[in-house]
């Protein structure tokens, strides 16, 4: 059984899509914990509704928040095998990245390696894609390393955006595909069908 922690900061639609897909591979995956840097986000409400333990984390010491050292202890005590960043806006400290090498994935709402990096999140990404006049966008699921949006790419899906007339329309089109691709990758990981060979990532059938 793969014990997953999902890190969130926002409304939690990706968390919901993961939870909705879990019945397909219930024997292989459990969402053991949800971690957030934001106390009042929709994603935490979703976690509560599913009786999933949640924790708050902050780089700066605050009441009711764990710091990252304490969080690492929790991840170990909860026997977490795998971390999914589903809209988590903070950088994961190197200590956790090192401990979970090839065991942390992130979903980014554009086709990396374009339109990523520090400060490129949420609507800023879609605005940049829109301003570039790009004709395709789409989500990327990638391994997390110590640099923002830099780790090896696991899966991507291109979405035609040639007809859009706002960044919001791009966000809407890409989000629909996010909700398919992230559960797909988690399922493949649970089946040990995501493999890294010579630094290139393959998804086996
Ligand atoms: C998604 O677009 C995701 O790609 C990005 O942040 C957004 C989170 O949305 N990293 P939600 O909280 O899952 O609804």
């Amino acid at each position: 059984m793969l014990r997953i922690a999902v890190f969130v900061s926002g409304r939690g639609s990706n968390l919901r899509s993961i939870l909705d897909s879990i019945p397909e591979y219930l024997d292989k995956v459990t969402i053991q914990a949800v971690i957030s840097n934001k106390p009042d986000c929709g994603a935490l409400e979703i976690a509560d509704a599913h009786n999933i333990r949640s924790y708050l984390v902050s780089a700066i010491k605050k009441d009711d928040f764990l710091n990252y050292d304490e969080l690492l202890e929790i991840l170990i005590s909860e026997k977490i095998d795998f971390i999914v960043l589903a809209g988590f806006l903070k950088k994961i400290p190197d200590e956790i990245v090192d401990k979970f090498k090839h065991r942390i994935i992130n979903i980014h709402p554009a086709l990396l390696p374009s339109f990523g990096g520090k400060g490129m999140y949420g609507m800023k990404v879609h605005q940049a894609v829109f301003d570039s006049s790009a004709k395709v966008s789409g989500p990327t699921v990638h391994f997390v390393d110590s640099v923002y949006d830099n780790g090896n790419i696991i899966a991507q899906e291109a979405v035609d955006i040639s007809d859009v007339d706002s960044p919001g329309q791009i966000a809407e089109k890409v989000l629909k595909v996010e909700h398919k691709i992230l559960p797909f990758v988690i399922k493949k990981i649970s089946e040990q069908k995501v493999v890294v060979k010579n630094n290139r990532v393959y998804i086996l059938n």
Side-chain angles (χ1 to χ4, degrees), residues 8-13 15-16 38-48:
V8 294
S9 302
R11 79 202 132 177
S13 67
L15 172 63
R16 190 189 300 281
K38 293 248 177 80
D40 302 314
C41 64
L44 285 181
E45 286 171 25
I46 295 169
D48 276 356

Side-chain angles (χ1 to χ4, degrees), residues 10-15 86-88 106-109 122 126 175 178-179:
R11 79 202 132 177
S13 67
N14 278 291
L15 172 63
F88 187 64
N106 179 46
I107 183 146
H108 182 76
H126 302 300
L175 192 65
E178 288 183 43
H179 295 161

Side-chain angles (χ1 to χ4, degrees), residues 88-184:
F88 187 64
L89 296 181
K90 296 288 175 185
K91 191 156 181 294
I92 301 294
D94 286 353
E95 206 192 338
I96 297 182
V97 171
D98 291 347
K99 196 105 198 158
F100 284 84
K101 187 172 160 59
H102 284 141
R103 292 192 295 144
I104 309 180
I105 60 171
N106 179 46
I107 183 146
H108 182 76
L111 296 171
L112 294 175
S114 297
F115 306 110
K118 194 170 185 330
M120 283 297 255
Y121 59 86
M123 283 310 288
K124 292 181 190 205
V125 177
H126 302 300
Q127 183 72 55
V129 172
F130 184 78
D131 291 344
S132 76
S133 215
K135 300 296 178 263
V136 288
S137 190
T140 300
V141 180
H142 64 96
F143 283 118
V144 170
D145 66 12
S146 56
V147 179
Y148 271 111
D149 299 329
N150 180 69
N152 278 349
I153 291 167
I154 303 168
Q156 298 185 294
E157 192 173 321
V159 178
D160 180 357
I161 53 163
S162 55
D163 60 346
V164 301
D165 41 39
S166 70
Q169 286 180 5
I170 301 176
E172 211 176 295
K173 283 191 160 197
V174 172
L175 192 65
K176 271 192 198 143
V177 187
E178 288 183 43
H179 295 161
K180 284 193 307 175
I181 200 169
L182 187 55
F184 166 78

Side-chain angles (χ1 to χ4, degrees), residues 64-79:
D64 299 333
F65 284 71
L66 302 168
N67 64 34
Y68 280 98
D69 288 340
E70 291 165 335
L71 177 63
L72 182 54
E73 279 171 27
I74 294 282
L75 296 174
I76 292 166
S77 70
E78 292 271 16
K79 297 187 174 64

Side-chain angles (χ1 to χ4, degrees), residues 16-26 183-184:
R16 190 189 300 281
S17 75
I18 298 167
L19 289 166
D20 287 349
S21 73
I22 294 253
E24 286 173 41
Y25 44 97
L26 206 49
F184 166 78

